[in-house]
Amino acid sequence: MKKSSFKEYLIFFTAVFVLSLPIFLAYYYQHHPDRTVTELESTVASIPLGISAAEADAFFGTQPDSVSQMKGVLANPTMMLEASNQSAAKQGSIQSYSLRTWKQNDVHATVAIDESGKVAGRWTWVE
């Protein structure tokens, strides 16, 4: 039986460390975000679906910073696909939405109002 040398142990442990490092980093960054949730993000998450645009505005306490129109499909309450997206038609029928957007620092919150005037979706994003 051959006796292992210090160099072989060093190579083995270095390889294990190098292969384990990306897994550790991926886990760390997924479970330890480097920023806190803002008040704007909390507010938009608390808006119930099906309320009116005026009721949604009341959650924020101000009128939106911008209002735009968009044709698309809500894949779920937090993800909208624009009508020009090839996957949109697969998700459902294309509808017109009024997008009401509030901005606070680099965080944006959007509430999608459907054709009946009710909240159909809401989401946030960071610039």
Short mmCIF file of all heavy atoms in Angstrom, two decimals, residues 40-111:
data_model
loop_
_atom_site.label_atom_id
_atom_site.label_comp_id
_atom_site.label_asym_id
_atom_site.label_seq_id
_atom_site.Cartn_x
_atom_site.Cartn_y
_atom_site.Cartn_z
N LEU A 40 -42.00 50.99 -0.16
CA LEU A 40 -42.74 50.92 -1.42
C LEU A 40 -42.99 49.47 -1.82
O LEU A 40 -44.10 49.11 -2.25
CB LEU A 40 -41.97 51.66 -2.52
CG LEU A 40 -42.66 51.83 -3.86
CD1 LEU A 40 -43.93 52.67 -3.70
CD2 LEU A 40 -41.73 52.49 -4.85
N GLU A 41 -41.99 48.60 -1.66
CA GLU A 41 -42.15 47.19 -1.99
C GLU A 41 -43.17 46.52 -1.07
O GLU A 41 -44.00 45.72 -1.52
CB GLU A 41 -40.81 46.47 -1.91
CG GLU A 41 -39.85 46.87 -3.01
CD GLU A 41 -38.44 46.39 -2.78
OE1 GLU A 41 -37.88 46.67 -1.70
OE2 GLU A 41 -37.90 45.74 -3.69
N SER A 42 -43.13 46.86 0.20
CA SER A 42 -44.11 46.31 1.16
C SER A 42 -45.51 46.76 0.83
O SER A 42 -46.47 45.98 0.90
CB SER A 42 -43.75 46.75 2.58
OG SER A 42 -42.55 46.18 2.98
N THR A 43 -45.64 48.03 0.46
CA THR A 43 -46.96 48.57 0.13
C THR A 43 -47.56 47.85 -1.06
O THR A 43 -48.72 47.42 -1.02
CB THR A 43 -46.86 50.08 -0.15
OG1 THR A 43 -46.37 50.74 1.02
CG2 THR A 43 -48.22 50.66 -0.52
N VAL A 44 -46.80 47.72 -2.14
CA VAL A 44 -47.36 47.10 -3.34
C VAL A 44 -47.69 45.62 -3.09
O VAL A 44 -48.66 45.10 -3.63
CB VAL A 44 -46.44 47.29 -4.57
CG1 VAL A 44 -45.28 46.32 -4.57
CG2 VAL A 44 -47.22 47.14 -5.86
N ALA A 45 -46.91 44.96 -2.26
CA ALA A 45 -47.19 43.55 -1.96
C ALA A 45 -48.48 43.38 -1.16
O ALA A 45 -49.11 42.33 -1.21
CB ALA A 45 -46.02 42.94 -1.19
N SER A 46 -48.90 44.42 -0.44
CA SER A 46 -50.10 44.32 0.39
C SER A 46 -51.38 44.70 -0.35
O SER A 46 -52.47 44.57 0.20
CB SER A 46 -49.95 45.20 1.63
OG SER A 46 -49.93 46.56 1.27
N ILE A 47 -51.28 45.15 -1.59
CA ILE A 47 -52.47 45.55 -2.34
C ILE A 47 -53.23 44.32 -2.81
O ILE A 47 -52.69 43.49 -3.54
CB ILE A 47 -52.07 46.43 -3.55
CG1 ILE A 47 -51.48 47.75 -3.04
CG2 ILE A 47 -53.26 46.69 -4.46
CD1 ILE A 47 -50.95 48.63 -4.13
N PRO A 48 -54.49 44.20 -2.43
CA PRO A 48 -55.26 43.04 -2.86
C PRO A 48 -55.68 43.16 -4.33
O PRO A 48 -55.92 44.26 -4.82
CB PRO A 48 -56.48 43.04 -1.94
CG PRO A 48 -56.53 44.38 -1.31
CD PRO A 48 -55.20 45.03 -1.47
N LEU A 49 -55.76 42.05 -5.00
CA LEU A 49 -56.26 42.04 -6.37
C LEU A 49 -57.76 42.30 -6.34
O LEU A 49 -58.46 41.94 -5.39
CB LEU A 49 -55.97 40.69 -7.03
CG LEU A 49 -54.49 40.31 -7.12
CD1 LEU A 49 -54.35 38.90 -7.71
CD2 LEU A 49 -53.72 41.31 -7.94
N GLY A 50 -58.27 42.96 -7.38
CA GLY A 50 -59.70 43.17 -7.51
C GLY A 50 -60.21 44.49 -6.95
O GLY A 50 -61.38 44.80 -7.12
N ILE A 51 -59.35 45.27 -6.29
CA ILE A 51 -59.82 46.58 -5.81
C ILE A 51 -59.72 47.59 -6.94
O ILE A 51 -59.08 47.35 -7.96
CB ILE A 51 -59.03 47.06 -4.56
CG1 ILE A 51 -57.54 47.29 -4.90
CG2 ILE A 51 -59.18 46.06 -3.42
CD1 ILE A 51 -56.74 47.94 -3.77
N SER A 52 -60.33 48.75 -6.76
CA SER A 52 -60.32 49.77 -7.81
C SER A 52 -58.98 50.51 -7.84
O SER A 52 -58.19 50.44 -6.89
CB SER A 52 -61.44 50.78 -7.56
OG SER A 52 -61.14 51.56 -6.41
N ALA A 53 -58.77 51.25 -8.91
CA ALA A 53 -57.54 52.05 -9.04
C ALA A 53 -57.47 53.09 -7.94
O ALA A 53 -56.39 53.34 -7.37
CB ALA A 53 -57.49 52.71 -10.42
N ALA A 54 -58.59 53.70 -7.60
CA ALA A 54 -58.60 54.71 -6.53
C ALA A 54 -58.24 54.09 -5.18
O ALA A 54 -57.51 54.69 -4.39
CB ALA A 54 -59.98 55.37 -6.45
N GLU A 55 -58.73 52.89 -4.93
CA GLU A 55 -58.37 52.20 -3.69
C GLU A 55 -56.88 51.84 -3.66
O GLU A 55 -56.24 51.94 -2.61
CB GLU A 55 -59.22 50.93 -3.52
CG GLU A 55 -60.68 51.21 -3.24
CD GLU A 55 -61.54 49.96 -3.29
OE1 GLU A 55 -61.40 49.17 -4.27
OE2 GLU A 55 -62.35 49.77 -2.38
N ALA A 56 -56.34 51.47 -4.80
CA ALA A 56 -54.91 51.17 -4.87
C ALA A 56 -54.09 52.43 -4.61
O ALA A 56 -53.10 52.39 -3.87
CB ALA A 56 -54.55 50.58 -6.23
N ASP A 57 -54.52 53.56 -5.18
CA ASP A 57 -53.83 54.83 -4.94
C ASP A 57 -53.82 55.16 -3.44
O ASP A 57 -52.85 55.68 -2.92
CB ASP A 57 -54.50 55.97 -5.70
CG ASP A 57 -54.32 55.88 -7.20
OD1 ASP A 57 -53.54 55.01 -7.66
OD2 ASP A 57 -54.94 56.67 -7.93
N ALA A 58 -54.90 54.83 -2.75
CA ALA A 58 -55.00 55.12 -1.31
C ALA A 58 -53.96 54.34 -0.52
O ALA A 58 -53.48 54.83 0.51
CB ALA A 58 -56.41 54.80 -0.81
N PHE A 59 -53.59 53.15 -0.98
CA PHE A 59 -52.54 52.38 -0.30
C PHE A 59 -51.23 53.16 -0.29
O PHE A 59 -50.48 53.11 0.68
CB PHE A 59 -52.33 51.02 -0.98
CG PHE A 59 -53.19 49.94 -0.45
CD1 PHE A 59 -54.49 49.79 -0.89
CD2 PHE A 59 -52.72 49.05 0.50
CE1 PHE A 59 -55.30 48.78 -0.41
CE2 PHE A 59 -53.50 48.03 0.99
CZ PHE A 59 -54.82 47.90 0.54
N PHE A 60 -50.94 53.85 -1.39
CA PHE A 60 -49.69 54.60 -1.51
C PHE A 60 -49.80 55.99 -0.89
O PHE A 60 -48.80 56.59 -0.53
CB PHE A 60 -49.28 54.74 -2.98
CG PHE A 60 -48.90 53.43 -3.61
CD1 PHE A 60 -49.81 52.72 -4.37
CD2 PHE A 60 -47.63 52.91 -3.44
CE1 PHE A 60 -49.46 51.52 -4.94
CE2 PHE A 60 -47.26 51.71 -4.00
CZ PHE A 60 -48.19 51.00 -4.76
N GLY A 61 -51.00 56.52 -0.81
CA GLY A 61 -51.21 57.84 -0.24
C GLY A 61 -50.95 58.98 -1.21
O GLY A 61 -51.08 60.14 -0.86
N THR A 62 -50.57 58.66 -2.44
CA THR A 62 -50.32 59.67 -3.47
C THR A 62 -50.78 59.14 -4.81
O THR A 62 -50.98 57.94 -4.99
CB THR A 62 -48.81 60.01 -3.59
OG1 THR A 62 -48.11 58.84 -4.03
CG2 THR A 62 -48.22 60.49 -2.28
N GLN A 63 -50.89 60.07 -5.74
CA GLN A 63 -51.17 59.68 -7.12
C GLN A 63 -49.89 59.05 -7.70
O GLN A 63 -48.78 59.34 -7.24
CB GLN A 63 -51.57 60.90 -7.95
CG GLN A 63 -52.92 61.47 -7.56
CD GLN A 63 -54.04 60.46 -7.82
OE1 GLN A 63 -54.13 59.89 -8.90
NE2 GLN A 63 -54.89 60.25 -6.83
N PRO A 64 -50.02 58.18 -8.70
CA PRO A 64 -48.82 57.57 -9.28
C PRO A 64 -47.92 58.61 -9.96
O PRO A 64 -48.40 59.66 -10.39
CB PRO A 64 -49.38 56.58 -10.30
CG PRO A 64 -50.79 56.97 -10.53
CD PRO A 64 -51.25 57.74 -9.33
N ASP A 65 -46.64 58.29 -10.03
CA ASP A 65 -45.68 59.16 -10.72
C ASP A 65 -45.89 59.12 -12.22
O ASP A 65 -45.60 60.09 -12.91
CB ASP A 65 -44.25 58.76 -10.36
CG ASP A 65 -43.95 58.98 -8.89
OD1 ASP A 65 -44.31 60.05 -8.37
OD2 ASP A 65 -43.37 58.08 -8.26
N SER A 66 -46.38 57.99 -12.73
CA SER A 66 -46.67 57.89 -14.16
C SER A 66 -47.79 56.88 -14.38
O SER A 66 -47.97 55.96 -13.60
CB SER A 66 -45.42 57.48 -14.96
OG SER A 66 -45.04 56.17 -14.63
N VAL A 67 -48.54 57.13 -15.46
CA VAL A 67 -49.60 56.21 -15.88
C VAL A 67 -49.40 55.96 -17.36
O VAL A 67 -49.25 56.90 -18.14
CB VAL A 67 -51.01 56.82 -15.63
CG1 VAL A 67 -52.09 55.88 -16.14
CG2 VAL A 67 -51.21 57.13 -14.16
N SER A 68 -49.36 54.69 -17.74
CA SER A 68 -49.18 54.34 -19.15
C SER A 68 -50.17 53.23 -19.52
O SER A 68 -50.76 52.61 -18.65
CB SER A 68 -47.74 53.89 -19.41
OG SER A 68 -47.42 52.76 -18.64
N GLN A 69 -50.32 53.02 -20.80
CA GLN A 69 -51.20 51.98 -21.31
C GLN A 69 -50.33 50.90 -21.95
O GLN A 69 -49.30 51.19 -22.56
CB GLN A 69 -52.17 52.54 -22.35
CG GLN A 69 -53.06 53.65 -21.82
CD GLN A 69 -53.96 53.20 -20.69
OE1 GLN A 69 -54.56 52.14 -20.76
NE2 GLN A 69 -54.06 54.01 -19.65
N MET A 70 -50.76 49.65 -21.80
CA MET A 70 -50.00 48.54 -22.39
C MET A 70 -50.93 47.40 -22.71
O MET A 70 -51.86 47.11 -21.95
CB MET A 70 -48.93 48.06 -21.41
CG MET A 70 -48.06 46.97 -21.93
SD MET A 70 -46.76 46.64 -20.71
CE MET A 70 -46.39 44.97 -21.09
N LYS A 71 -50.70 46.78 -23.84
CA LYS A 71 -51.43 45.57 -24.20
C LYS A 71 -50.52 44.40 -23.85
O LYS A 71 -49.34 44.40 -24.18
CB LYS A 71 -51.76 45.54 -25.68
CG LYS A 71 -52.86 46.52 -26.05
CD LYS A 71 -53.27 46.31 -27.50
CE LYS A 71 -54.37 47.27 -27.87
NZ LYS A 71 -55.68 46.84 -27.43
N GLY A 72 -51.09 43.41 -23.18
CA GLY A 72 -50.29 42.27 -22.78
C GLY A 72 -51.13 41.21 -22.09
O GLY A 72 -52.35 41.25 -22.10
N VAL A 73 -50.41 40.27 -21.48
CA VAL A 73 -51.03 39.16 -20.77
C VAL A 73 -50.40 39.07 -19.39
O VAL A 73 -49.17 39.09 -19.27
CB VAL A 73 -50.81 37.83 -21.53
CG1 VAL A 73 -51.34 36.66 -20.73
CG2 VAL A 73 -51.44 37.88 -22.89
N LEU A 74 -51.23 38.99 -18.38
CA LEU A 74 -50.72 38.75 -17.03
C LEU A 74 -50.56 37.23 -16.87
O LEU A 74 -51.55 36.50 -16.83
CB LEU A 74 -51.67 39.30 -15.98
CG LEU A 74 -51.52 40.78 -15.69
CD1 LEU A 74 -52.67 41.27 -14.83
CD2 LEU A 74 -50.20 41.08 -15.03
N ALA A 75 -49.32 36.78 -16.83
CA ALA A 75 -49.06 35.35 -16.65
C ALA A 75 -49.44 34.94 -15.23
O ALA A 75 -49.90 33.83 -14.99
CB ALA A 75 -47.59 35.04 -16.92
N ASN A 76 -49.22 35.85 -14.29
CA ASN A 76 -49.65 35.71 -12.91
C ASN A 76 -49.72 37.13 -12.34
O ASN A 76 -49.34 38.07 -13.04
CB ASN A 76 -48.72 34.77 -12.11
CG ASN A 76 -47.31 35.27 -12.05
OD1 ASN A 76 -47.05 36.42 -11.68
ND2 ASN A 76 -46.36 34.41 -12.39
N PRO A 77 -50.16 37.35 -11.13
CA PRO A 77 -50.32 38.72 -10.64
C PRO A 77 -49.03 39.54 -10.53
O PRO A 77 -49.08 40.74 -10.32
CB PRO A 77 -50.95 38.54 -9.25
CG PRO A 77 -51.63 37.23 -9.33
CD PRO A 77 -50.78 36.39 -10.22
N THR A 78 -47.89 38.90 -10.69
CA THR A 78 -46.63 39.64 -10.58
C THR A 78 -45.78 39.59 -11.85
O THR A 78 -44.62 39.99 -11.82
CB THR A 78 -45.78 39.10 -9.40
OG1 THR A 78 -45.46 37.73 -9.64
CG2 THR A 78 -46.50 39.25 -8.09
N MET A 79 -46.35 39.10 -12.94
CA MET A 79 -45.56 39.03 -14.18
C MET A 79 -46.45 39.28 -15.40
O MET A 79 -47.40 38.54 -15.64
CB MET A 79 -44.89 37.66 -14.33
CG MET A 79 -43.97 37.60 -15.54
SD MET A 79 -43.06 36.06 -15.69
CE MET A 79 -44.31 34.99 -16.36
N MET A 80 -46.11 40.34 -16.13
CA MET A 80 -46.86 40.69 -17.33
C MET A 80 -45.97 40.50 -18.55
O MET A 80 -44.80 40.87 -18.54
CB MET A 80 -47.34 42.14 -17.27
CG MET A 80 -48.05 42.57 -18.54
SD MET A 80 -48.64 44.26 -18.41
CE MET A 80 -50.31 43.91 -17.93
N LEU A 81 -46.54 39.91 -19.58
CA LEU A 81 -45.85 39.76 -20.86
C LEU A 81 -46.46 40.73 -21.85
O LEU A 81 -47.68 40.76 -22.03
CB LEU A 81 -45.99 38.33 -21.38
CG LEU A 81 -45.43 37.22 -20.48
CD1 LEU A 81 -45.78 35.86 -21.05
CD2 LEU A 81 -43.93 37.37 -20.31
N GLU A 82 -45.63 41.54 -22.48
CA GLU A 82 -46.09 42.49 -23.47
C GLU A 82 -46.65 41.73 -24.67
O GLU A 82 -46.21 40.64 -25.00
CB GLU A 82 -44.92 43.39 -23.89
CG GLU A 82 -45.35 44.59 -24.67
CD GLU A 82 -44.22 45.57 -24.88
OE1 GLU A 82 -43.09 45.30 -24.47
OE2 GLU A 82 -44.49 46.61 -25.48
N ALA A 83 -47.63 42.32 -25.35
CA ALA A 83 -48.30 41.66 -26.48
C ALA A 83 -47.32 41.23 -27.56
O ALA A 83 -47.54 40.22 -28.23
CB ALA A 83 -49.36 42.58 -27.06
N SER A 84 -46.23 41.96 -27.72
CA SER A 84 -45.25 41.61 -28.75
C SER A 84 -44.38 40.40 -28.38
O SER A 84 -43.70 39.85 -29.23
CB SER A 84 -44.34 42.82 -29.04
OG SER A 84 -43.61 43.16 -27.88
N ASN A 85 -44.43 39.99 -27.13
CA ASN A 85 -43.67 38.82 -26.69
C ASN A 85 -44.28 37.56 -27.29
O ASN A 85 -45.50 37.36 -27.21
CB ASN A 85 -43.68 38.76 -25.16
CG ASN A 85 -42.81 37.66 -24.59
OD1 ASN A 85 -42.76 36.55 -25.11
ND2 ASN A 85 -42.13 37.98 -23.51
N GLN A 86 -43.47 36.70 -27.86
CA GLN A 86 -43.97 35.49 -28.52
C GLN A 86 -44.68 34.55 -27.55
O GLN A 86 -45.56 33.80 -27.94
CB GLN A 86 -42.82 34.75 -29.20
CG GLN A 86 -42.20 35.51 -30.35
CD GLN A 86 -40.97 34.83 -30.90
OE1 GLN A 86 -40.45 33.89 -30.31
NE2 GLN A 86 -40.50 35.30 -32.05
N SER A 87 -44.31 34.58 -26.30
CA SER A 87 -44.93 33.70 -25.30
C SER A 87 -46.25 34.23 -24.76
O SER A 87 -46.97 33.51 -24.09
CB SER A 87 -43.96 33.50 -24.13
OG SER A 87 -42.78 32.91 -24.56
N ALA A 88 -46.57 35.48 -25.05
CA ALA A 88 -47.77 36.09 -24.48
C ALA A 88 -49.04 35.34 -24.85
O ALA A 88 -49.87 35.04 -23.98
CB ALA A 88 -47.87 37.55 -24.91
N ALA A 89 -49.21 35.02 -26.11
CA ALA A 89 -50.44 34.36 -26.56
C ALA A 89 -50.60 32.98 -25.93
O ALA A 89 -51.72 32.51 -25.73
CB ALA A 89 -50.45 34.25 -28.08
N LYS A 90 -49.50 32.34 -25.58
CA LYS A 90 -49.56 31.03 -24.94
C LYS A 90 -50.08 31.12 -23.50
O LYS A 90 -50.57 30.16 -22.95
CB LYS A 90 -48.18 30.37 -24.94
CG LYS A 90 -47.63 30.08 -26.31
CD LYS A 90 -46.22 29.56 -26.22
CE LYS A 90 -45.58 29.49 -27.59
NZ LYS A 90 -44.15 29.16 -27.52
N GLN A 91 -49.93 32.30 -22.89
CA GLN A 91 -50.32 32.48 -21.48
C GLN A 91 -51.78 32.87 -21.31
O GLN A 91 -52.32 32.75 -20.23
CB GLN A 91 -49.43 33.55 -20.84
CG GLN A 91 -47.97 33.20 -20.78
CD GLN A 91 -47.70 32.04 -19.84
OE1 GLN A 91 -48.33 31.89 -18.82
NE2 GLN A 91 -46.74 31.20 -20.20
N GLY A 92 -52.40 33.38 -22.37
CA GLY A 92 -53.79 33.80 -22.26
C GLY A 92 -54.13 34.83 -23.31
O GLY A 92 -53.33 35.11 -24.21
N SER A 93 -55.30 35.44 -23.17
CA SER A 93 -55.72 36.43 -24.17
C SER A 93 -55.10 37.79 -23.85
O SER A 93 -54.98 38.19 -22.70
CB SER A 93 -57.25 36.53 -24.21
OG SER A 93 -57.73 36.94 -22.95
N ILE A 94 -54.75 38.49 -24.90
CA ILE A 94 -54.13 39.81 -24.77
C ILE A 94 -55.21 40.82 -24.41
O ILE A 94 -56.28 40.84 -25.02
CB ILE A 94 -53.39 40.18 -26.06
CG1 ILE A 94 -52.22 39.23 -26.27
CG2 ILE A 94 -52.93 41.63 -26.03
CD1 ILE A 94 -51.50 39.34 -27.58
N GLN A 95 -54.91 41.65 -23.40
CA GLN A 95 -55.84 42.67 -22.94
C GLN A 95 -55.10 44.00 -22.81
O GLN A 95 -53.88 44.04 -22.80
CB GLN A 95 -56.42 42.29 -21.58
CG GLN A 95 -57.23 41.02 -21.59
CD GLN A 95 -57.77 40.71 -20.20
OE1 GLN A 95 -58.04 41.61 -19.42
NE2 GLN A 95 -57.93 39.43 -19.91
N SER A 96 -55.88 45.06 -22.68
CA SER A 96 -55.30 46.39 -22.42
C SER A 96 -55.26 46.62 -20.92
O SER A 96 -56.21 46.29 -20.20
CB SER A 96 -56.14 47.48 -23.07
OG SER A 96 -56.06 47.38 -24.46
N TYR A 97 -54.16 47.19 -20.45
CA TYR A 97 -53.99 47.49 -19.04
C TYR A 97 -53.50 48.93 -18.88
O TYR A 97 -52.77 49.44 -19.72
CB TYR A 97 -52.96 46.56 -18.38
CG TYR A 97 -53.40 45.13 -18.32
CD1 TYR A 97 -53.05 44.23 -19.32
CD2 TYR A 97 -54.18 44.67 -17.27
CE1 TYR A 97 -53.45 42.91 -19.27
CE2 TYR A 97 -54.60 43.35 -17.20
CZ TYR A 97 -54.23 42.47 -18.21
OH TYR A 97 -54.64 41.17 -18.16
N SER A 98 -53.91 49.53 -17.80
CA SER A 98 -53.37 50.82 -17.39
C SER A 98 -52.33 50.51 -16.32
O SER A 98 -52.65 49.87 -15.31
CB SER A 98 -54.49 51.69 -16.81
OG SER A 98 -53.94 52.86 -16.25
N LEU A 99 -51.10 50.93 -16.56
CA LEU A 99 -50.02 50.67 -15.60
C LEU A 99 -49.76 51.94 -14.79
O LEU A 99 -49.37 52.96 -15.33
CB LEU A 99 -48.76 50.24 -16.34
CG LEU A 99 -48.89 49.01 -17.22
CD1 LEU A 99 -47.56 48.68 -17.88
CD2 LEU A 99 -49.38 47.81 -16.42
N ARG A 100 -50.02 51.87 -13.51
CA ARG A 100 -49.83 52.99 -12.59
C ARG A 100 -48.54 52.71 -11.83
O ARG A 100 -48.43 51.72 -11.13
CB ARG A 100 -51.03 53.11 -11.66
CG ARG A 100 -52.34 53.27 -12.47
CD ARG A 100 -53.57 53.20 -11.63
NE ARG A 100 -53.73 54.35 -10.75
CZ ARG A 100 -54.17 55.54 -11.14
NH1 ARG A 100 -54.46 55.74 -12.41
NH2 ARG A 100 -54.31 56.53 -10.27
N THR A 101 -47.55 53.61 -11.97
CA THR A 101 -46.22 53.38 -11.41
C THR A 101 -45.82 54.47 -10.43
O THR A 101 -45.94 55.66 -10.73
CB THR A 101 -45.17 53.27 -12.54
OG1 THR A 101 -45.57 52.21 -13.42
CG2 THR A 101 -43.79 52.97 -12.00
N TRP A 102 -45.32 54.04 -9.29
CA TRP A 102 -44.77 54.93 -8.27
C TRP A 102 -43.27 54.68 -8.20
O TRP A 102 -42.81 53.55 -8.43
CB TRP A 102 -45.38 54.64 -6.90
CG TRP A 102 -46.79 55.04 -6.76
CD1 TRP A 102 -47.26 56.18 -6.17
CD2 TRP A 102 -47.96 54.33 -7.20
NE1 TRP A 102 -48.63 56.22 -6.23
CE2 TRP A 102 -49.08 55.09 -6.85
CE3 TRP A 102 -48.15 53.12 -7.86
CZ2 TRP A 102 -50.38 54.69 -7.12
CZ3 TRP A 102 -49.43 52.72 -8.14
CH2 TRP A 102 -50.54 53.49 -7.78
N LYS A 103 -42.51 55.72 -7.90
CA LYS A 103 -41.05 55.59 -7.82
C LYS A 103 -40.57 56.18 -6.49
O LYS A 103 -41.03 57.24 -6.07
CB LYS A 103 -40.37 56.31 -8.97
CG LYS A 103 -38.89 56.14 -8.98
CD LYS A 103 -38.24 56.81 -10.17
CE LYS A 103 -36.74 56.52 -10.08
NZ LYS A 103 -35.93 57.55 -10.59
N GLN A 104 -39.67 55.45 -5.85
CA GLN A 104 -39.06 55.91 -4.60
C GLN A 104 -37.59 55.52 -4.67
O GLN A 104 -37.26 54.33 -4.64
CB GLN A 104 -39.75 55.26 -3.41
CG GLN A 104 -39.30 55.76 -2.07
CD GLN A 104 -40.08 55.07 -0.97
OE1 GLN A 104 -40.04 53.86 -0.87
NE2 GLN A 104 -40.78 55.84 -0.17
N ASN A 105 -36.72 56.52 -4.80
CA ASN A 105 -35.29 56.30 -5.02
C ASN A 105 -35.12 55.44 -6.27
O ASN A 105 -35.57 55.84 -7.33
CB ASN A 105 -34.62 55.70 -3.78
CG ASN A 105 -34.74 56.62 -2.58
OD1 ASN A 105 -34.67 57.84 -2.72
ND2 ASN A 105 -34.94 56.05 -1.41
N ASP A 106 -34.52 54.27 -6.17
CA ASP A 106 -34.32 53.43 -7.36
C ASP A 106 -35.33 52.29 -7.46
O ASP A 106 -35.20 51.40 -8.28
CB ASP A 106 -32.90 52.88 -7.40
CG ASP A 106 -32.55 52.03 -6.19
OD1 ASP A 106 -33.30 52.07 -5.20
OD2 ASP A 106 -31.53 51.32 -6.24
N VAL A 107 -36.36 52.31 -6.60
CA VAL A 107 -37.38 51.27 -6.60
C VAL A 107 -38.64 51.78 -7.30
O VAL A 107 -39.08 52.90 -7.05
CB VAL A 107 -37.73 50.83 -5.16
CG1 VAL A 107 -38.83 49.79 -5.15
CG2 VAL A 107 -36.50 50.30 -4.45
N HIS A 108 -39.20 50.96 -8.18
CA HIS A 108 -40.44 51.27 -8.88
C HIS A 108 -41.49 50.24 -8.47
O HIS A 108 -41.19 49.06 -8.34
CB HIS A 108 -40.25 51.17 -10.40
CG HIS A 108 -39.25 52.12 -10.94
ND1 HIS A 108 -39.61 53.29 -11.56
CD2 HIS A 108 -37.89 52.09 -10.96
CE1 HIS A 108 -38.52 53.93 -11.94
NE2 HIS A 108 -37.47 53.22 -11.59
N ALA A 109 -42.72 50.70 -8.30
CA ALA A 109 -43.84 49.81 -8.02
C ALA A 109 -44.92 50.07 -9.06
O ALA A 109 -45.29 51.21 -9.29
CB ALA A 109 -44.39 50.07 -6.62
N THR A 110 -45.39 49.00 -9.68
CA THR A 110 -46.41 49.14 -10.72
C THR A 110 -47.64 48.33 -10.34
O THR A 110 -47.54 47.19 -9.89
CB THR A 110 -45.87 48.66 -12.08
OG1 THR A 110 -44.80 49.51 -12.46
CG2 THR A 110 -46.95 48.71 -13.15
N VAL A 111 -48.80 48.95 -10.55
CA VAL A 111 -50.08 48.29 -10.36
C VAL A 111 -50.77 48.27 -11.73
O VAL A 111 -50.92 49.32 -12.36
CB VAL A 111 -50.95 49.05 -9.32
CG1 VAL A 111 -52.32 48.43 -9.22
CG2 VAL A 111 -50.25 49.05 -7.96
#
